[in-house]
Amino acid sequence: MTDLSEIEAFLPCVTPQAWITAALTDIPLLLIDHANCEKKAASTALNLLYRYVERPELIERMSRLAREELRHFEQVIAIMKRRDIAYRQLSAARYAAGLHQHIRKAEPERLIDTLIVGAFIEARSCERFARLAPHLDEELGSFYRGLLASESRHFIHYLGLARDYSDAPIDARIAYFAGVEQALIENDDTELRFHSGPPVIRAA
């Protein structure tokens, strides 16, 4: 079992039980959005690889990360196919955009913040896989438990690169984004997504 203590210490809060309850009522929707998240994660890694060609360690790690995320995307699609769940377009959760809007524009601050945001996204994904897995059927629960090691490693790589590329301590920026992340996770959301807050059920 993957040790999640570092991730739990890094995240500002646990996933609300209301989100877990809602997610378990609509596994097909959750799988569709999970597939989208894996695809977006691969795209983020590739964008970093293209943007920062002068940083060989980042290129190496983002190349590997992109391949892993695309493999996870393929695995989610395969599970959906076995369950007759059609892949379709969904509106994006506010989570990633809510974090990215606080990224500074000038370099190298832009890179540092982008890597910190990447660490939060990977850590939250890992935490949600772990929270959901005990409640899922054998196939999906086993799959989510199997993702913990890679998602945890991605978190460590993003955070490590942020520290390596910064000339000053990044604790203040981590704390800043932690506050943003906590609000996005704990505040009510308008719809269920893999990284949403608890969805509010609107009266008909």
Side-chain angles (χ1 to χ4, degrees):
M1 183 69 176
T2 302
D3 181 9
L4 301 182
S5 58
E6 188 174 357
I7 282 174
E8 291 169 349
F10 178 75
L11 291 172
C13 63
V14 299
T15 290
Q17 182 58 44
W19 183 89
I20 300 289
T21 301
L24 294 175
T25 68
D26 201 343
I27 296 300
L29 178 66
L30 196 71
L31 284 170
I32 294 169
D33 198 52
H34 179 186
N36 287 338
C37 290
E38 298 291 0
K39 188 168 59 173
K40 291 172 186 174
S43 176
T44 296
L46 289 172
N47 285 339
L48 286 168
L49 186 154
Y50 276 105
R51 180 179 292 275
Y52 300 101
V53 297
E54 75 283 2
R55 298 188 182 272
E57 186 178 11
L58 182 145
I59 289 175
E60 180 181 348
R61 289 189 174 177
M62 291 303 109
S63 177
R64 291 179 181 175
L65 193 151
R67 289 198 300 272
E68 283 192 332
E69 302 289 21
L70 284 175
R71 177 57 181 153
H72 296 163
F73 170 73
E74 293 166 358
Q75 290 173 315
V76 178
I77 292 296
I79 290 172
M80 290 168 54
K81 184 176 181 180
R82 289 194 292 274
R83 296 172 183 231
D84 294 321
I85 301 170
Y87 187 41
R88 59 186 173 86
Q89 196 72 25
L90 292 177
S91 58
R94 61 188 172 124
Y95 179 80
L99 289 169
H100 278 101
Q101 71 179 359
H102 295 275
I103 290 175
R104 292 169 290 184
K105 304 301 183 184
E107 297 289 1
E109 291 83 6
R110 177 178 178 178
L111 172 59
I112 305 306
D113 284 357
T114 300
L115 293 169
I116 291 172
V117 166
F120 272 106
I121 293 172
E122 296 291 342
R124 182 59 65 186
S125 297
C126 196
E127 188 255 0
R128 290 204 158 172
F129 290 142
R131 293 288 309 278
L132 284 168
H135 306 289
L136 301 172
D137 61 75
E138 183 177 353
E139 179 192 38
L140 196 52
S142 177
F143 175 56
Y144 275 14
R145 284 188 293 271
L147 292 177
L148 294 179
S150 59
E151 299 299 324
S152 177
R153 185 172 62 255
H154 298 168
F155 152 71
I156 291 169
H157 286 171
Y158 271 120
L159 191 59
L161 288 171
R163 294 192 190 280
D164 289 345
Y165 293 147
S166 178
D167 293 330
I170 63 172
D171 294 345
R173 289 305 288 173
I174 291 173
Y176 176 79
F177 279 107
V180 175
E181 205 263 356
Q182 182 169 3
L184 290 166
I185 289 299
E186 291 187 335
N187 291 346
D188 290 343
D189 228 320
T190 57
E191 53 195 357
L192 174 68
R193 295 291 184 268
F194 196 87
H195 291 101
S196 69
V200 175
I201 305 302
R202 303 296 182 186

